[in-house]
Amino acid sequence: MHFDHVGIATPDAAGLAALFAELFDAPVAHEETFDGMSVVFLELENGYFELLEPHEEGAISKFLDKRGGGIHHVAIETDDIEAALRTAEAAGVDRIDEEPRPGAWGHEVAFLHPKSTGGVLVEFVSH
């Protein structure tokens, strides 16, 4: 496994993408509208910033309402997402997703509950 990306909730993905592109020389690698939100991936040498702007009520809009913009989750890439979920279960970690589901870029994803992971929402992602 290795670091894949950090997801950042924002009310303005385009504006934050422009700022981060300038600050970090991080070009846009991918953009899509997915699951009721705009998703922008900025490429860094060793991973991505994933900017999440909601367009309808959902997890990201609730996050913004409660906490404001900021880091939403950390994603770890795995070659075997089912095995990663089994390992999490064996370790006693509560899973938000019992099975992988479709994510941005057509990747499979599954989330672990932050109450079991030190307050960090962890995403497993399989490319």
Side-chain angles (χ1 to χ4, degrees):
M1 293 187 196
H2 69 271
F3 172 79
D4 189 76
H5 68 268
V6 60
I8 301 169
T10 178
D12 180 11
L16 192 56
L19 175 64
F20 283 0
E22 183 178 342
L23 284 175
F24 309 127
D25 191 26
V28 172
H30 180 75
E31 295 180 78
E32 69 180 275
T33 300
F34 172 78
D35 204 21
M37 65 187 139
S38 292
V39 180
V40 179
F41 283 86
L42 297 168
E43 187 170 4
L44 299 166
E45 187 174 321
N46 57 351
Y48 300 93
F49 282 133
E50 177 189 34
L51 309 180
L52 307 161
E53 177 187 344
H55 296 293
E56 57 188 49
E57 187 66 26
I60 301 301
S61 64
K62 290 176 187 174
F63 181 93
L64 287 171
D65 289 345
K66 187 174 181 179
R67 297 185 178 100
I71 294 174
H72 178 261
H73 67 272
V74 174
I76 305 299
E77 183 182 357
T78 176
D79 292 333
D80 189 342
I81 197 166
E82 290 87 3
L85 285 169
R86 287 191 302 272
T87 298
E89 180 180 27
V93 172
D94 290 327
R95 295 162 294 156
I96 292 172
D97 298 300
E98 299 292 324
E99 302 279 331
R101 61 183 163 98
W105 248 343
H107 300 151
E108 285 192 307
V109 302
F111 287 86
L112 305 179
H113 202 287
K115 72 180 182 183
S116 295
T117 54
V120 177
L121 179 61
V122 174
E123 173 187 11
F124 288 136
V125 60
S126 180
H127 293 219

